[in-house]
Amino acid sequence: PIMAELAQRFRSRYQVGWVDSAEHKDWVYSEFGVASFPTVIVQREPVGRMFSHSGPPTTSSLRQLVYDVEDGCLGYSGGGRGWHRQPDLVCVAVPDDDTP
């Protein structure tokens, strides 16, 4: 349901798809380098840079990822941090609507 909601919300700007990771884990790893699940990837272009979210997927956390990618609010650093929000930038904050 979360991915279907995201597909609906961002349909004018992004194509949203999902894969049965249990059945296609080798393909997912070979194409995207993803070995842990659940992981969500956002790309601006089909063969462009990949931004990923690992951990419990909530509607608000995944929407925030999309907005951070759009706003350029993600930076990369080694040492295990990977892509992360850059603290010196002003980014759009998405209200958390996952709570009852």
Side-chain angles (χ1 to χ4, degrees):
I2 292 173
M3 295 306 291
E5 182 179 331
L6 289 172
Q8 179 68 21
R9 180 179 299 267
F10 294 108
R11 71 179 181 270
S12 65
R13 298 191 310 251
Y14 291 98
Q15 294 179 347
V16 176
W18 49 95
V19 175
D20 179 341
S21 58
E23 185 176 341
H24 302 288
K25 68 180 179 182
D26 293 335
W27 178 82
V28 170
Y29 182 76
S30 71
E31 290 295 312
F32 304 105
V34 172
S36 64
F37 303 98
T39 297
V40 175
I41 295 172
V42 174
Q43 290 178 281
R44 290 181 185 164
E45 301 169 3
V47 293
R49 181 180 295 156
M50 294 185 300
F51 302 90
S52 65
H53 170 81
S54 297
T58 64
T59 302
S60 62
S61 67
L62 297 180
R63 281 189 3 244
Q64 187 67 60
L65 173 65
V66 171
Y67 290 127
D68 286 348
V69 168
E70 288 180 345
D71 293 342
C73 288
L74 298 175
Y76 186 82
S77 67
R81 284 191 67 198
W83 291 104
H84 60 278
R85 290 189 97 193
Q86 298 186 66
D88 55 339
L89 295 177
V90 176
C91 302
V92 173
V94 177
D96 182 2
D97 61 357
D98 294 329
T99 55

